[in-house]
Amino acid sequence: MSDKTALSETSAGSDLEALFRPQSIAVVGASSNVRSQGYEYVEGLVKFGFPGPIYPVNPKLDELLGLKAYPRLQDIPGGVDFVISAVPASAVFELVEGAKEKGVKLIHFFTARFSETGRADAIEMERELRKRTQEAGIRVIGPNCMGLYYPKQRITFDPMVLEEEPGNIGFLSQSGSHAFRVIGRGKNRGLRFSKVISYGNALDLNEVDFLYHFADDPETEIIAAYIEGLRDGKRFFEALRYAASRKPVLVMKGGRTPAGHAAASSHTAALASERSIWRVAVEQAGALEVASLNELIDLLVAYRCAGPVKGRRVAVLGGAGGGTVEAADLCAEAGLELTPVPQEIREALRDKLPHAWDWIGNPLDASILGWGPLRANEMDILGMMAAHPAYDGVLLNFHVERALHRMGLEKLPPEAIEMVARLGRDNDKALVLVVEEPEAREEERVRAVLEARDQLAAAGLAVYPDIERGIRAMGRYVSYEMQRASR
């Protein structure tokens, strides 16, 4: 990419910030039907507390949720920066004419049934929509998408997505449902977002624009992307390389298989690419490919919560028996190194643990010491390992159910959470915590474990639901950060 091209592309990405900070928003196709998207867009903006005027637009409404409604965009007395379209596809050209007259800068088209249908008339309608919005100087998100979620500006695409605390993760998603899932599943695991952009068919603004935007966005420190197809493969990989040279970039590709390719085409009219070419190109660009939504969320949790990467050597409390063996195998497969317990730690434990001081290993087998991860001997040993320069990180398989039973408690006390948090924080090392589902199915036990998991995540810890996901996330996080540091 030439210097001139890079400058123009990054400037375009930076220019989006002004579009994402509207002073007023109109929802065209607003509805009193509480089950309609035209209602939910208005409800979400009201509940989230968007600070500027919100204008419902529908000739059949006088007011909605206490807001005065207008028959047409042109009838709104004040200026309108941003329009959300919830009208049928047949009404979009009239909407564009009104937006042009009002000087609208950005339209998000939730409106669907364009090129994603594969129908010739719908494809032609989308081409015409692109032509008319370009002639009017209006930028477009969509069509066929959920739009913009921007907590700092109190903009949301759904009344259920109202997390008030802005974060440092920027997520661009060709899928609206994946945007919902990443926000929803990530919330209880400590993830917070700078912006989430669901962009659908990418008639105008697309993955290239959003990558450049997030690369230069001071509010975004981690970039995640879900891509089904590319408008321009060359420009995309130039943008990906630019973004990955500045920040961690995690990319999930939809349509990797023939079946997925077919589904992607009917979802967003995406042009899927060859899997092998895609994988190599993502790696060469310096980004990290992920294979599933769970893996994407797990890696975002590592980035936001696990702590600094110093190297591959980890101290592991792996459970007992088979769990310890499994943890060892998973660590080896994930590229993590299980450094043996240093002799000085063994010697320091000789008097305290005369029956086990020369027996303990890494992974640390809890059954050797007596069950319950909050027993002093286990935490003491793990703490000594965490503090030792032989280790770069800690992975704790925390059997909360058994710990609560041993301590005779219904929920984790604050001091227990602090004890765990200190393992990584006090030693400035990466810490990954596994809290598995309870073995018993009594409702109160399940509730206690899930509550403990939420408490630990709320304390800023990187929490995973099973040992496999925890170790694989840690391995990929460590490997990618070490690669980035070496570039």
Side-chain angles (χ1 to χ4, degrees):
M1 178 168 49
S2 69
D3 292 342
K4 184 176 180 180
T5 302
L7 180 61
S8 63
E9 294 284 18
T10 57
S11 297
S14 300
D15 289 345
L16 293 184
E17 187 60 29
L19 296 178
F20 293 155
R21 295 176 179 266
Q23 299 300 304
S24 57
I25 300 177
V27 180
V28 182
S31 171
S32 58
N33 179 355
V34 297
R35 293 181 176 85
S36 71
Q37 200 64 43
Y39 181 91
E40 291 188 347
Y41 276 116
V42 177
E43 182 187 21
L45 292 168
V46 170
K47 282 187 174 181
F48 210 15
F50 176 71
I54 304 167
Y55 300 116
V57 177
N58 187 324
K60 297 179 181 180
L61 292 178
D62 294 322
E63 66 86 31
L64 183 63
L65 294 171
L67 302 171
K68 177 175 173 55
Y70 296 86
R72 306 177 306 156
L73 271 173
Q74 298 93 315
D75 298 321
I76 295 172
V80 179
D81 299 320
F82 180 23
V83 167
I84 298 172
S85 168
V87 299
S90 58
V92 296
F93 296 139
E94 180 182 351
L95 183 155
V96 171
E97 286 305 306
K100 180 180 178 180
E101 187 174 326
K102 291 296 293 182
V104 170
K105 301 179 180 69
L106 176 66
I107 300 177
H108 152 224
F109 285 99
F110 168 74
T111 307
R113 299 193 178 183
F114 290 99
S115 60
E116 76 277 6
T117 66
R119 298 170 183 162
D121 58 339
I123 293 170
E124 182 56 37
M125 181 180 288
E126 186 171 303
R127 290 191 185 123
E128 182 64 19
L129 181 60
R130 177 180 174 84
K131 177 175 176 288
R132 295 195 189 191
T133 52
Q134 283 183 332
E135 289 173 349
I138 299 171
R139 304 309 305 265
V140 172
I141 300 175
N144 182 33
C145 68
M146 293 307 301
L148 177 64
Y149 168 64
Y150 190 179
K152 188 174 180 180
Q153 296 299 310
R154 295 294 189 264
I155 297 172
T156 185
F157 44 58
D158 190 271
M160 294 178 64
V161 181
L162 300 174
E163 176 54 54
E164 294 185 4
E165 180 188 357
N168 63 351
I169 301 168
F171 181 40
L172 57 132
S173 175
Q174 209 156 3
S175 162
S177 64
H178 274 12
F180 273 108
R181 290 187 179 101
V182 168
I183 296 170
R185 294 182 192 176
K187 179 179 179 180
N188 290 338
R189 296 182 65 189
L191 300 186
R192 300 294 182 269
F193 298 86
S194 55
K195 301 179 188 76
V196 175
I197 306 167
S198 156
Y199 63 95
N201 293 8
L203 175 151
D204 172 28
L205 295 171
N206 59 43
E207 56 279 345
V208 172
D209 302 292
F210 301 133
L211 279 172
Y212 279 120
H213 171 70
F214 283 136
D216 294 329
D217 179 18
E219 297 172 358
T220 298
E221 297 175 8
I222 308 156
I223 303 171
Y226 171 74
I227 309 289
E228 289 183 355
L230 307 175
R231 289 290 178 180
D232 185 326
K234 183 175 183 293
R235 288 183 64 232
F236 170 76
F237 286 108
E238 288 172 347
L240 187 63
R241 184 177 297 108
Y242 178 83
S245 70
R246 286 153 176 76
K247 299 171 184 179
V249 182
L250 313 177
V251 184
M252 178 183 170
K253 179 69 172 66
R256 300 187 303 273
T257 66
H261 186 168
S265 296
S266 65
H267 180 208
T268 54
L271 298 175
S273 59
E274 180 69 33
R275 174 70 189 278
S276 58
I277 297 173
W278 169 269
R279 179 178 294 156
V280 171
V282 168
E283 183 178 350
Q284 288 180 344
L288 181 63
E289 183 189 24
V290 300
S292 69
L293 208 61
N294 278 339
E295 187 178 19
L296 179 65
I297 294 170
D298 285 349
L299 279 162
L300 289 174
V301 168
Y303 264 99
R304 181 167 169 89
C305 305
V309 170
K310 301 293 182 66
R312 300 180 182 276
R313 305 168 304 168
V314 292
V316 178
L317 177 61
T324 305
V325 175
E326 181 185 17
D329 285 337
L330 289 169
C331 284
E333 291 167 354
L336 300 172
E337 299 173 8
L338 292 169
T339 304
V341 178
Q343 187 60 28
E344 55 264 40
I345 291 181
R346 294 186 188 279
E347 293 294 339
L349 294 171
R350 184 191 290 266
D351 293 335
K352 186 174 182 178
L353 294 171
H355 68 289
W357 70 276
D358 58 346
W359 185 12
I360 60 172
N362 183 29
L364 181 61
D365 188 332
S367 65
I368 295 174
L369 307 172
W371 272 106
L374 293 180
R375 291 173 64 92
N377 52 11
E378 291 178 33
M379 294 304 292
D380 284 351
I381 296 170
L382 202 58
M384 292 169 71
M385 294 169 76
H388 199 280
Y391 299 101
D392 303 309
V394 182
L395 190 139
L396 171 58
N397 192 0
F398 191 174
H399 288 267
V400 169
E401 179 186 16
R402 194 175 294 273
L404 293 176
H405 175 70
R406 290 280 183 174
M407 293 185 294
L409 299 174
E410 293 184 357
K411 68 178 186 176
L412 287 180
E415 55 269 25
I417 296 172
E418 176 62 18
M419 185 188 304
V420 172
R422 283 202 307 265
L423 285 174
R425 186 189 63 226
D426 289 1
N427 299 294
D428 196 30
K429 294 179 179 178
L431 170 64
V432 162
L433 185 63
V434 174
V435 179
E436 296 184 338
E437 297 288 343
E439 296 167 6
R441 301 315 300 171
E442 288 87 347
E443 184 177 340
E444 62 274 12
R445 286 204 182 185
V446 173
R447 188 186 305 114
V449 172
L450 295 179
E451 183 178 343
R453 186 183 293 174
D454 289 346
Q455 287 178 278
L456 292 159
L461 295 166
V463 182
Y464 294 85
D466 60 62
I467 192 75
E468 180 179 0
R469 284 174 61 180
I471 290 176
R472 287 184 174 172
M474 189 176 197
R476 298 209 74 192
Y477 170 53
V478 168
S479 295
Y480 183 44
E481 275 304 284
M482 292 180 70
Q483 290 170 11
R484 293 183 67 244
S486 67
R487 289 203 297 266

